[in-house]
Structure formats: structure tokens, C-alpha cells
Amino acid sequence: MSPAATVRAGVPGSRRPTAPGDGDPAGVGHALGRMLRRAAPALIGYLTVRLLGLLVLSRWAHVRGQGIWPTLATSWDSRWYLEIADHGYDDTLGTRVNDNNLAFFPLYPVLVKAVAGVTPGSRATVGLLLAVGFSLLAAWGIFAVGDRLYGRRVGILLTVLWGVMPVAMVEWMGYTESLFTALAAWALYAVLAGRWLWAGSLATLAGLTRPTGIALAAAVSVAALLACRGGRGGRGAALAGALIAPVGWLAYVAWVGLRLGRVDGYFAVQKLWLNKWDGGASTLRQLRQLLLYMTRPQLFLVIVSMVLIVSVGLYLLCVAERQPVALLVFTGVLLLVVLGSGGVYFPRARFLLPGFPLLMPVARVLARARRTAVVGVLLGAATLWSAWLGAYMLLVWKGPP
């Protein structure tokens, strides 16, 4: 099997990984510096599109007489994470719908509490700054994955595309999407580079961040087990990575069960949030109702519906392009969880935000375009649309993003 083929399979090939980690600390620092310089155009592009989104939001909020800080730092799910950082978790199940904070995974509020304890400023401010910082780490990781697989141009375009997704404003809110995407991107990069212990450890942290951490755990474990079966070197590390990957998610689910005194405690909490597996029946009903029967559906819900439909189409393209198995498993399980759950409908575009590999076919098409001006126009239009929709989502839409 050629090195290119093994990379596509999610198994490291014979070429030396570019990830830092070998040698003395000075060597690691130099390697990180080279990686950061190579990623600089992608990070600049990402910052540009997100700052434009923030500018549009600020102007729109000013016209409406609203402040953007409370909207970004303390609205909706942000309040739940801040409450956990302030007071901890509930210790009973209760019966009230949408009222048990055990549904929210612990890593982000733990980080907010820890950093706020040693820095000035409120926990809300710390949470928002952490989210912005994690978004930059996520952008760097997304570039690294795209660059490793298809070259620097694709990596840059992939990063910018992630920054102009319809609900990309959430990346700069006090939510967990940026942290989870950063962990997912670098875990997938570690898989491609054959760094199995890094991949497993990052997947464990992702499993402590969001329920969809199970998708990343599955991706790392499957790729690692395939590497073991392939009989290449490092089978011990690959097996260890496969075993480590789901530990975070399983540990939190087990802890909730112990806290509530029932084996199915976590799933009982999810039922109180109206989240249960129905194989996609609820999703199909919502799509049919919104797109076929409602005469004036709400714009944001139409956008969510289009994101779901386009995401399925992009996944089929990813399969056709034979993306590495780790990427396919990650986005496949992510789609399965998001589309197959019968919970609330409106946040599903946000739930898919970490699925950046779905954008790979678009980035590759843009990278092959002969006219740079055409690519610029398309990205510019996407940036303006994302900026407007982000402001609409936070200032006009009455529900959570």
C-alpha cells in the first residue's frame, strides 16, 4: 500500500509525520513555529471573516439599542455553563422539562471556573474569551487536516469555509462548539499523523465536552483498530489510542448514573430534554412540515433545514472522494446522532458545526478553480451572508441558536 493510500485509509504511511513531538523541547518549539507560519494565511482569513461578522452584529445591535456582550457571553446555553461553573451540577433527576443541567458536559465549565479563578474579570467574560481562543485553535487544526490531505490551498479554503458557515457566529459565543471543534480537528490530525496516544487523549477530552464526543471516539477507535489490523509498527500505541478514545464520554455518562443512583441516569436526563433516538422520524416530519406544508415558515428554521439536507449531500461526496476513514466515521456518526435524535429541531445546524470535513469537497473544488477572482467573489458572498445571518440569529430569531 502506498503512503498516499494509507493516509486515505486513516493509517499513517511511511512518510514522517509533520506533527511536533519528537526530540528536545527546542525542536518541538521550532516545529510548532513552522506549523503556525504555514497556517498564518488560514488564520488571518478566518479572523477576517469572523471580525466582519462581529462588525455586522455590533452595528445591527446598536441600531436596535442592544448590547452584544450579553448576547455573546450570557445568553441561552451560556447561562447553563456559567451556572455549572458557579454552583455545580444537580444531584437529583426531577421532573421538569428542560431543567436539569446534567445534560451539559463538564469540560468547558470546568475550564471557565479554573481560568476565572486565576484571572481578573467575570466568569462570563472568561468563558467568551476561551471560546474565541478555542476557535483559533480549531481553525489551526482544520487547516492542518486540509493541508496534510490535499495541500495548503485546500487547508486555507477549508478554514475560511468553516468561518462562514451559516451559524458560525456561535464560534464566538460562550458555547462549547469551538472547544469541541478544536479537539476534533487536532485528534483527526493526530490520527492522520499516526499519533495514536494524542488522538485518543484528545478524543477523551472531546467526550467530556459534548454528547457528540462519541462520534470522535468512534472515529479514533475505528482508525486505530484498522491500523492494528494492518500490522504496521506502533500497534501497541494504536491499541492504546483505541481504548482511550471513548473513556471521557463513558466516564461522564457513568458519573451521571452514579450521581442519580440509576444506571440509565444520563439517558433519563436526556429524556427530560426531549432528546431520544427515533431513527430520524422526527427530523423527517419537521423537514416535511417546514418545506412542504407551511406557507410562511420561519427563516431560521428554513436555514437549519437546508443545512441538514446539504450536509447529507456533502457526506455522500466525502464518501465518493474516499476521505480517510477517521473523517468519514466522525462526520457519519455526527450526522447519525444529529439527524436520528427526536429532540428540538432549531439547534441542529449548530450541532453540525464541528463537522468541518463535510466542507472538504467544496474546498477542493474552489482550490481547483482557475480564476481566483471567482473564488474571491464566492467567499465574499458567503462571508456577507454568514455575517447577516449571524446577526439575524441572535437579534431577530426568538429562540436559541
Side-chain angles (χ1 to χ4, degrees):
M1 182 180 291
S2 67
T6 53
V7 168
R8 283 196 299 271
V11 181
S14 59
R15 67 187 177 107
R16 180 177 176 79
T18 57
D22 295 332
D24 62 294
V28 173
H30 288 313
L32 285 172
R34 288 194 301 271
M35 291 179 67
L36 185 57
R37 287 192 294 273
R38 185 169 178 83
L43 297 178
I44 292 171
Y46 174 76
L47 274 172
T48 300
V49 298
R50 291 302 343 123
L51 286 172
L52 179 60
L54 186 62
L55 179 63
V56 171
L57 175 64
S58 300
R59 179 58 184 167
W60 198 337
H62 176 74
V63 170
R64 294 171 62 93
Q66 297 179 230
I68 64 169
W69 184 89
T71 301
L72 296 175
T74 63
S75 64
W76 303 108
D77 285 8
S78 301
R79 293 198 299 266
W80 286 98
Y81 290 117
L82 292 174
E83 177 194 302
I84 293 169
D86 287 337
H87 306 295
Y89 279 104
D90 295 335
D91 54 12
T92 58
L93 180 61
T95 58
R96 295 177 59 182
V97 175
N98 299 338
D99 195 52
N100 192 303
N101 65 13
L102 287 165
F104 297 88
F105 279 52
L107 183 58
Y108 177 68
V110 166
L111 290 174
V112 170
K113 182 176 182 178
V115 175
V118 295
T119 59
S122 67
R123 285 177 175 169
T125 300
V126 168
L128 181 57
L129 292 177
L130 282 176
V132 174
F134 287 131
S135 78
L136 294 175
L137 283 176
W140 188 5
I142 290 168
F143 166 81
V145 171
D147 180 31
R148 183 176 184 89
L149 288 175
Y150 303 113
R152 192 183 194 191
R153 183 173 173 84
V154 170
I156 293 171
L157 290 167
L158 182 65
T159 306
V160 174
L161 286 171
W162 185 67
V164 298
M165 289 181 72
V167 294
M169 183 59 70
V170 175
E171 296 164 14
W172 282 14
M173 293 179 66
Y175 276 57
T176 59
E177 272 69 23
S178 290
L179 171 59
F180 182 75
T181 306
L183 293 169
W186 284 108
L188 293 173
Y189 178 80
V191 167
L192 298 175
R195 307 283 183 164
W196 299 113
L197 294 179
W198 275 107
S201 299
L202 291 169
T204 288
L205 292 175
L208 293 170
T209 305
R210 291 194 58 78
T212 45
I214 192 64
L216 185 62
V220 173
S221 294
V222 168
L225 291 174
L226 287 175
C228 291
R229 192 182 68 175
R232 306 187 66 85
R235 293 179 64 181
L239 182 59
L243 295 175
I244 291 171
V247 167
W249 191 89
L250 293 172
Y252 182 67
V253 170
W255 180 81
V256 173
L258 289 172
R259 189 170 181 83
L260 297 181
R262 50 188 293 179
V263 175
D264 67 338
Y266 171 75
F267 301 100
V269 170
Q270 288 296 333
K271 286 182 180 179
L272 284 179
W273 283 84
L274 307 180
N275 289 325
K276 59 180 180 179
W277 175 260
D278 67 2
S282 175
T283 302
L284 290 174
R285 282 197 302 270
Q286 290 275 9
L287 284 171
R288 184 175 59 184
Q289 181 71 17
L290 282 165
L291 302 181
L292 296 180
Y293 297 116
M294 293 185 67
T295 55
R296 299 185 65 181
Q298 293 176 288
L299 174 61
F300 185 71
L301 295 181
V302 173
I303 297 300
V304 171
S305 300
M306 297 311 298
V307 168
L308 298 182
I309 294 171
V310 171
S311 295
V312 172
L314 288 174
Y315 183 73
L316 295 177
L317 289 177
C318 292
V319 173
E321 290 185 348
R322 300 180 64 186
Q323 278 188 8
V325 66
L327 275 63
L328 291 176
V329 172
F330 172 60
T331 50
V333 176
L334 185 64
L335 281 168
L336 196 64
V337 171
V338 173
L339 298 178
S341 298
V344 290
Y345 187 76
F346 49 80
R348 299 192 187 199
R350 171 169 63 86
F351 293 164
L352 289 176
L353 196 59
F356 69 92
L358 294 172
L359 301 171
M360 199 79 76
V362 181
R364 295 186 69 190
V365 168
L366 293 176
R368 291 194 295 265
R370 295 182 178 181
R371 296 185 179 181
T372 305
V374 173
V375 176
V377 169
L378 291 175
L379 289 179
T383 300
L384 293 174
W385 166 244
S386 176
W388 182 88
L389 184 60
Y392 176 90
M393 175 181 70
L394 296 181
L395 301 176
V396 179
W397 164 248
K398 300 302 183 181

